[in-house]
Amino acid sequence: MSTKSKKITMHDVAERAGVSYQTVSRVLNNSCNVSQATREKIEKAIADLKYVPNLLAQQLSKHERLLIGLINVTYNLSAPGDVVNRVRYYALRHNYELLITLIEENSLEQMEHAIMRLKAQMVDKLLINVPLGNEVASKLVRDNPDCTLVFLDVDPFCPVLNVCFNPYDGTVASIAHLSDLGHHKVALIPGPENIVSSELRHNSWLDGLKSHGMTSVACVHGDWSSKSGYDAMMKILHETRDFTAVLVGNDQMALGAMSALNVCGLKVPQDISVVGYDNTKDSAYFNPPLTTIDLNRDLQCRVAVDKLIGGQADAVSSVLPTSLIMRHSCARVTHDQYSLSDMAAALHEIARKLEHIPSH
Ligand code: IPT
């Protein structure tokens, strides 16, 4: 025997309140031709019976779909999880429900499948927080003219409608900061290869280092996770110790990198300075609190949801700035941090200058 009780319908509510089915329907649709007394009777019947209105049926009858679809990479990383929470918050503020589809791998096939599943649930407004190259993103837009697609993880200058960050502002500020503190040689731990945001951050480091006359002495990619940051830092330390700072592609990898430095007896920031990327909430509580690049994800999600439900008037991409947040993981270079080769070069330079001083 089934233990499930019978599903309560609008007919049950009407019977309990002693009104017609149409009157219940008018109350559920917020129509104004119902007296206050009748409305209260119906609301009481709904509460007594614990009736749950069928949102989908209501929306279908009004030919409106208050649904946003979000296709997200699996959120065991902190930034994608943050996006889900914030998109949900802004969707609900506009009375939209959120349907989430997670994908494991950013392939065209998985994307097409995810879009199809959401379309099958009558969703025609989609946010896509999956790293995609220009070609795949443009193909998805071409193949889905019946949907509005807003992308959160593509090149900000890609021709599809997107709300993305320009990593250059933050990077330039972080490299200028390290240069002011006397750093010349750095190690790099970028995110995964062939991922747009990771490559943009990496390229912006290389440009920034070049313009400040600094050099990258080692580079090992991670996969955004703390473990990969730890492994990459260990690998770098086995190759060389001829650097005074590390630029890391996100805060989670920076956490792992700081742990590896610590295990190897190097103190942050006295021996090695570290800069992260993301300004995730936790980074303020790392030991030491992490200097990082802020991506205003709240703004990104608010603007993206507005664009998605705002219609054609808002159909222009927004490039959001990134900025440096200075905490305590960077310090001025001291002389005992110089490597033997740096010291030899400095002595050589002093000797050269002394040779030119006329003797009396
Ligand atoms: C990007 C994060 O900065 C990074 O830490 C990682 O979580 C990655 O997402 C996962 O895809 S943010 C992205 C919108 C550029």
Side-chain angles (χ1 to χ4, degrees):
M1 202 179 87
S2 164
T3 50
K4 267 196 179 169
S5 51
K6 184 178 147 277
K7 190 164 168 28
I8 306 293
T9 66
M10 263 163 73
H11 290 287
D12 300 321
V13 175
E15 196 183 313
R16 173 109 175 184
V19 299
S20 70
Y21 178 90
Q22 284 74 13
T23 313
V24 176
S25 163
R26 281 206 293 276
V27 166
L28 289 174
N29 288 320
N30 276 329
S31 146
C32 38
N33 330 329
V34 183
S35 74
Q36 185 61 22
T38 307
R39 184 178 296 276
E40 278 169 16
K41 243 187 339 190
I42 293 171
E43 280 166 0
K44 182 164 184 320
I46 288 176
D48 290 348
L49 294 172
K50 298 196 173 53
Y51 168 66
V52 181
N54 183 336
L55 202 65
L56 192 59
Q58 272 179 43
Q59 292 182 6
L60 284 177
S61 71
K62 285 198 262 172
H63 299 287
E64 65 178 5
R65 287 171 276 179
L66 297 180
L67 276 177
I68 286 180
L70 170 65
I71 304 178
N72 213 65
V73 277
T74 44
Y75 40 81
N76 44 9
L77 291 168
S78 49
D82 198 24
V83 167
V84 173
N85 290 333
R86 292 176 197 275
V87 165
R88 180 177 171 277
Y89 172 80
Y90 286 111
L92 287 179
R93 273 219 332 205
H94 290 277
N95 288 324
Y96 274 72
E97 280 294 329
L98 185 66
L99 280 187
I100 304 168
T101 297
L102 299 181
I103 66 166
E104 308 288 333
E105 191 195 297
N106 55 337
S107 66
L108 179 62
E109 293 69 39
Q110 286 221 5
M111 283 304 304
E112 283 173 338
H113 191 64
I115 293 180
M116 223 171 65
R117 286 210 312 270
L118 287 168
K119 276 172 124 174
Q121 296 174 79
M122 314 228 8
V123 182
D124 64 356
K125 296 178 173 58
L126 299 177
L127 274 183
I128 301 185
N129 185 35
V130 176
L132 295 175
N134 294 4
E135 269 180 32
V136 172
S138 304
K139 178 168 169 45
L140 294 175
V141 171
R142 268 198 318 275
D143 292 350
N144 294 283
D146 49 343
C147 289
T148 309
L149 305 184
V150 176
F151 294 83
L152 299 179
D153 196 355
V154 291
D155 182 330
F157 301 104
C158 169
V160 299
L161 182 58
N162 73 80
V163 184
C164 290
F165 296 99
N166 177 3
Y168 274 77
D169 327 294
T171 299
V172 166
S174 68
I175 291 178
H177 178 51
L178 289 177
S179 172
D180 288 348
L181 293 171
H183 295 270
H184 292 291
K185 292 184 178 177
V186 302
L188 304 179
I189 305 183
E193 283 175 283
N194 300 322
I195 290 291
V196 170
S197 55
S198 161
E199 290 194 337
L200 285 172
R201 290 172 199 183
H202 189 180
N203 290 337
S204 66
W205 285 336
L206 297 178
D207 290 351
L209 290 174
K210 197 165 164 202
S211 64
H212 281 85
M214 293 161 72
T215 38
S216 144
V217 298
C219 174
V220 176
H221 289 262
D223 66 4
W224 298 127
S225 69
S226 300
K227 178 185 185 309
S228 74
Y230 181 94
D231 294 345
M233 191 74 255
M234 282 297 190
K235 193 154 180 240
I236 290 174
L237 289 170
H238 278 117
E239 279 172 24
T240 176
R241 295 212 171 184
D242 189 18
F243 59 93
T244 57
V246 193
L247 291 164
V248 192
N250 76 347
D251 292 353
Q252 283 182 277
M253 294 193 296
L255 178 66
M258 294 211 290
S259 171
L261 288 165
N262 197 288
V263 166
C264 295
L266 293 163
K267 289 202 181 67
V268 179
Q270 295 86 336
D271 300 320
I272 303 285
S273 292
V274 176
V275 183
Y277 226 112
D278 268 344
N279 191 23
T280 49
K281 277 200 193 113
D282 292 345
S283 65
Y285 303 95
F286 290 2
N287 185 17
L290 186 67
T291 291
T292 184
I293 313 292
D294 180 61
L295 313 181
N296 188 339
R297 241 176 268 287
D298 192 63
L299 179 65
Q300 183 191 33
C301 296
R302 177 159 58 77
V303 171
V305 170
D306 283 352
K307 279 194 203 305
L308 201 59
I309 61 192
Q312 283 308 308
D314 277 333
V316 198
S317 296
S318 299
V319 183
L320 306 179
T322 48
S323 57
L324 177 67
I325 303 289
M326 281 190 229
R327 296 205 185 96
H328 304 291
S329 60
C330 294
R332 184 164 293 286
V333 175
T334 57
H335 288 290
D336 26 326
Q337 267 171 280
Y338 286 133
S339 65
L340 285 178
S341 62
D342 282 339
M343 278 197 276
L347 287 172
H348 195 75
E349 181 63 13
I350 293 168
R352 200 182 60 78
K353 284 188 177 151
L354 283 174
E355 270 175 19
H356 291 93
I357 297 177
S359 52
H360 296 289

